[in-house]
Amino acid sequence: MTAFQGKVPPIWLKPSVYQALGKHLASALPHEACGVLLGAAAAGGMRIDTYVPMRNVAPDPLHAFVPHPADWISALYLAPPPIGLFHSHPLAAPQPSSADFDGLTGLGGHFAVYLIGAPGIEPTHSILLNGYGIQRTRTEDGDLSVSLIEAQLQVLLK
Ligand SMILES: [Zn+2]
């Protein structure tokens, strides 16, 4: 079962990452955009330094995302490996869908950050962005349970 619970450390984005997410989201419209996030733990939170876009090869890219296998493989072989995943909801609020929850269990253990973006209201906001921490717990049966916890998201000033 997946659910929101508890509190997680904040997520900080470099301004260049925030801009790159908005740019990819806009250029992919009306399709969903997806990519991985590189960064590190920093000052009690997670700092995202770099965004690496991936091609979306979902059969229905208007409502789903499936990273191009070659893009996904090369992302996983980055050193250090990505710590987060981003995708966009062109037509819906930037909140996890049931398909998003289903996809969580397929993410490797080093994925700690989950970002969802949606087109913002011009001219003030180019992108609406929600950030979540990925939490893994073992159930009493020993099964892995993966959940998302809404995190405070901040864009660094520089
Ligand atoms: Zn989604």
Side-chain angles (χ1 to χ4, degrees):
M1 187 61 204
T2 47
F4 300 110
Q5 46 189 257
K7 286 205 165 194
V8 286
I11 300 166
W12 290 291
L13 298 183
K14 274 196 172 178
S16 57
V17 171
Y18 182 72
Q19 286 159 11
L21 295 175
K23 208 171 150 186
H24 191 206
L25 183 153
S27 67
L29 289 173
H31 294 176
E32 292 196 9
C34 60
V36 292
L37 304 158
L38 309 184
M46 302 298 285
R47 191 193 68 239
I48 307 300
D49 300 317
T50 308
Y51 173 61
V52 181
M54 298 186 293
R55 289 166 285 178
N56 180 3
V57 294
D60 178 14
L62 295 172
H63 304 102
F65 73 99
V66 175
H68 189 291
D71 295 355
W72 183 241
I73 296 294
S74 50
L76 295 184
Y77 276 97
L78 291 169
I83 61 164
L85 186 68
F86 164 81
H87 76 283
S88 66
H89 287 175
L91 301 167
Q95 282 154 3
S97 65
S98 54
D100 293 339
F101 280 119
D102 291 344
L104 290 175
T105 45
L107 291 176
H110 49 271
F111 281 88
V113 171
Y114 198 87
L115 299 184
I116 306 177
I121 301 146
E122 297 288 4
T124 45
H125 299 288
S126 61
I127 180 173
L128 301 172
L129 199 58
N130 281 338
Y132 304 88
I134 300 173
Q135 189 181 65
R136 295 169 181 81
T137 48
R138 287 275 166 200
T139 64
E140 288 175 8
D141 308 335
D143 294 334
L144 186 65
S145 163
V146 188
S147 54
L148 294 177
I149 305 161
E150 191 156 13
Q152 196 191 350
L153 192 64
Q154 289 185 341
V155 180
L156 294 164
L157 292 178
K158 62 172 195 158

